[in-house]
Amino acid sequence: MKKPTILRWAGSKARLIPDLSRLAPKKYSRYVEPFAGSACLYFALEPQIAILGDINAQVIDVYRAIRSDPNSVADALEEIPKTADAYYKLRAQDPSSLNLSQRAARLIFLMKACFNGVYRTNLRGEFNVPMGDRVYALPTRKHLIETHQLIQNAHLVSGDFRETLALSRPGDWVYMDPPYRKIDRYRGEYGYAGRFGESEMSLLIDTARELASRGISVTMSYAYDEAFVRSLSGWSVHLVSATRSVASKAEFRLKVPEVILTSYLS
Ligand SMILES: C[S@@+](CC[C@H](N)C(=O)[O-])C[C@H]1O[C@@H](n2cnc3c(N)ncnc32)[C@H](O)[C@@H]1O
């Protein structure tokens, strides 16, 4: 990847980019990513036309803000002191009281500074992650302007994966990176709205099969799980290894097998 993504995001598949790029379909018309988060693959591949969705409206607002006015996001970021005091003040702010650029700058800063890059909220939907031990490099004005140019041709969906996938059509490439159901059930990772249980996973698998049957190329990355691999029988299976970065303690960030499944021969 050329530079860190705009959002620092636990669960980002940055380490899988070489494998995912290698396994991409040779040809596709549009790139569709219904669980975008930091959208590391999108930013690595820079596809011409894309649809990016996430259930977390704040994430999508970051991309909307940059698409609309990258300079004002850069201005808002520059105004934030890189201190713990500023972190906790911003964290306590109600994002709905801010304009779009300020909201985007707030989330970009909180994610670059929070513990382990985890987005977690309380039941009221308020971000409640403590500050980590440093503030990772914030995107520069130049990076925001380049992103602004790239994202002009991206359709942004703030909503459930079904809404994004309903827009896909034959010839598209859909890359799905859903939350891990086992981890998310216990951690409240991705916020309350982003919980992902057995029923969502089973619906996602049915939808993935249905998309593939309509001539849409589908790629899915997930923690290795036999039942999951069996549920997509007939798809190509690629075992890869990634360090999971969602564990709360560094010593638990072990190499765990991940799997990439493709509905097409790759
Ligand atoms: C594993 S992360 C994706 C990481 C992404 N590949 C990246 O590069 O950062 C999963 C994402 O799915 C989102 N999410 C959770 N439940 C969802 C749902 N039902 N529909 C759409 N997005 C959802 C979360 O907000 C989170 O951003």
Side-chain angles (χ1 to χ4, degrees):
M1 197 172 22
K2 286 164 260 171
K3 36 179 108 72
T5 44
I6 300 280
L7 285 173
R8 174 167 166 253
W9 206 244
S12 146
K13 294 304 174 297
R15 293 173 203 86
L16 296 190
I17 286 173
D19 291 306
L20 289 166
S21 308
R22 177 174 57 81
L23 296 171
K26 300 289 164 276
K27 267 179 70 178
Y28 56 93
S29 41
R30 302 179 308 171
Y31 173 91
V32 183
E33 186 167 359
F35 301 95
S38 66
C40 64
L41 185 60
Y42 166 74
F43 287 113
L45 297 179
E46 302 193 342
Q48 293 267 302
I49 308 175
I51 305 175
L52 302 177
D54 201 287
I55 205 160
N56 186 331
Q58 297 225 33
V59 166
I60 296 301
D61 269 357
V62 166
Y63 301 133
R64 285 204 174 115
I66 297 170
R67 189 172 61 182
S68 132
D69 189 351
N71 278 304
S72 105
V73 176
D75 291 344
L77 266 180
E78 278 165 16
E79 275 170 24
I80 302 174
K82 313 299 172 276
T83 62
D85 192 41
Y87 178 89
Y88 287 104
K89 274 195 184 130
L90 268 186
R91 193 181 80 160
Q93 251 173 356
D94 174 2
S96 67
S97 67
L98 304 172
N99 68 32
L100 185 61
S101 303
Q102 291 166 331
R103 256 199 326 274
R106 173 183 179 271
L107 189 67
I108 293 169
F109 177 75
L110 290 179
M111 296 314 297
K112 293 282 184 189
C114 73
F115 184 69
N116 272 354
V118 172
Y119 184 95
R120 193 190 61 210
T121 67
N122 60 22
L123 288 179
R124 289 188 302 278
E126 295 157 351
F127 184 78
N128 64 1
V129 181
M131 190 171 173
D133 58 1
R134 70 184 121 146
V135 181
Y136 284 80
L138 295 166
T140 60
R141 187 174 295 267
K142 182 169 170 278
H143 185 184
L144 290 166
I145 291 170
E146 284 164 6
T147 304
H148 161 81
Q149 281 149 2
L150 171 69
I151 217 164
Q152 289 310 307
N153 287 332
H155 180 83
L156 301 173
V157 181
S158 170
D160 185 75
F161 66 88
R162 276 163 284 200
E163 287 177 51
T164 306
L165 294 177
L167 301 171
S168 61
R169 51 184 192 231
D172 286 348
W173 175 31
V174 172
Y175 168 52
M176 299 179 174
D177 182 28
Y180 300 148
R181 55 197 151 172
K182 290 189 183 110
I183 291 174
D184 299 331
R185 197 160 57 216
Y186 298 112
R187 291 187 172 281
E189 173 93 345
Y190 304 129
Y192 191 64
R195 286 172 317 156
F196 209 78
E198 298 292 339
S199 57
E200 282 86 0
M201 195 59 196
S202 137
L203 178 72
L204 182 66
I205 287 168
D206 291 347
T207 313
R209 284 194 167 285
E210 189 267 326
L211 296 177
S213 75
R214 287 199 289 123
I216 295 167
S217 302
V218 184
T219 301
M220 178 124 67
S221 50
Y222 204 62
Y224 182 78
D225 167 336
E226 261 183 54
F228 166 71
V229 172
R230 261 201 315 274
S231 69
L232 288 169
S233 63
W235 287 33
S236 306
V237 181
H238 311 269
L239 267 184
V240 286
S241 167
T243 309
R244 218 183 254 177
S245 55
V246 291
S248 59
K249 290 203 170 95
E251 63 265 34
F252 294 139
R253 279 189 228 149
L254 303 172
K255 286 245 176 202
V256 293
E258 301 259 339
V259 67
I260 299 174
L261 274 89
T262 58
S263 66
Y264 48 91
L265 283 179
S266 42

